[in-house]
Amino acid sequence: MAADLTTPARQALIALMVRAERTSNPDLKQRYRVEITKPAREELTAQKLITWETGARRAIFYELTDLGWARARQEFRSPPPEKVSAAWLLHYATLRHLDSLLARGDQQIADLYAEPDPGPPPAGTVEERIRGAYADLAEKPGDLIRLVLVRDRLTDITRDEQDRVLEEMDRRREIHLDPDPARNELPQEALDAAILIGGEAKHLITIGPA
């Protein structure tokens, strides 16, 4: 039952269940403010509840195993972890209702999580989204951030629209775009994400203090 996993491991298990597909820590943190820590990863791996691998930019990608899905199903009938926030108490109350619904309809967890979570609809203008993505990625205003990382968070916005707004912000001097001095060592995805300003490819973005 639930006592065999720590609270961070249980939260990681739930996050992977609702995401319902292979996913990374940055994605989980952006969507649910959940991050799978090394101890939780090792705990879940030791019990063969997840698989994981390192992908591009050293991001770790996670996925539930069949045992992991079965263990996640137990959470529907388990008491919530101790000393968690009200949001998690409400979440477990919702799981209890879902458990009753699944039992009455003789359905499985796969019927409930058949499709990956599309996430909430993005909010804000394109400019606000760019600023928000930069703020999430930078440790402090003025840090140089690869443009590809910003674009990774704007996949619902067309490339043309991203470029149009970036050019406008650059023209108003609200951002600064730079070429990467190590451009010859950049991965192809970073090269493809560059924006041409004055005929020069810019791979880095800086946004200073407001």
Side-chain angles (χ1 to χ4, degrees):
M1 293 300 292
D4 64 346
L5 291 177
T6 62
T7 295
R10 291 177 68 182
Q11 291 175 333
L13 195 75
I14 292 295
L16 291 173
M17 177 185 70
V18 297
R19 187 68 181 97
E21 67 176 358
R22 179 176 178 269
T23 190
S24 65
N25 256 339
D27 181 61
L28 293 175
K29 192 172 182 179
Q30 181 182 11
R31 289 173 179 271
Y32 313 124
R33 299 181 186 174
V34 170
E35 184 174 2
I36 301 178
T37 61
K38 183 178 179 181
R41 180 174 73 237
E42 291 176 344
E43 186 177 355
L44 294 169
T45 301
Q47 298 200 33
K48 299 181 180 180
L49 302 180
I50 64 170
T51 59
W52 59 273
E53 61 181 358
T54 303
R57 298 187 297 277
R58 297 183 180 179
I60 298 177
F61 289 82
Y62 301 91
E63 194 167 11
L64 289 178
T65 62
D66 288 343
L67 283 176
W69 279 102
R71 179 60 182 78
R73 180 66 177 89
Q74 292 182 27
E75 290 295 314
F76 286 61
R77 300 182 291 271
S78 300
E82 296 182 0
K83 299 180 181 179
V84 293
S85 67
W88 277 97
L89 295 177
L90 290 170
H91 175 74
Y92 271 82
T94 300
L95 289 182
R96 290 194 294 274
H97 283 285
L98 289 175
D99 180 60
S100 298
L101 183 64
L102 290 174
R104 288 199 302 271
D106 194 26
Q107 293 178 301
Q108 304 300 316
I109 191 172
D111 298 316
L112 186 61
Y113 294 102
E115 298 292 335
D117 176 21
T125 65
V126 177
E127 181 172 332
E128 289 170 343
R129 296 277 305 282
I130 290 171
R131 291 183 181 278
Y134 177 88
D136 287 342
L137 293 162
E139 291 186 6
K140 62 183 183 304
D143 282 349
L144 281 171
I145 298 297
R146 283 187 178 176
L147 193 54
V148 63
L149 300 179
V150 174
R151 291 196 193 275
D152 281 349
R153 298 184 174 222
L154 306 173
T155 54
D156 57 307
I157 302 170
T158 66
R159 174 65 178 262
D160 286 346
E161 182 65 6
Q162 291 180 37
D163 286 355
R164 183 188 67 79
V165 176
L166 285 167
E167 289 172 0
E168 286 182 359
M169 295 174 74
D170 180 66
R171 195 160 42 243
R172 297 197 303 262
R173 299 182 182 276
E174 295 177 355
I175 63 173
H176 193 68
L177 298 164
D178 287 298
D180 194 315
R183 64 177 67 85
N184 293 333
E185 301 172 10
L186 291 177
Q188 189 60 46
E189 58 188 355
L191 295 172
D192 293 341
I195 183 172
L196 286 175
I197 302 290
E200 185 177 27
K202 312 279 189 172
H203 315 90
L204 304 170
I205 180 173
T206 304
I207 302 180

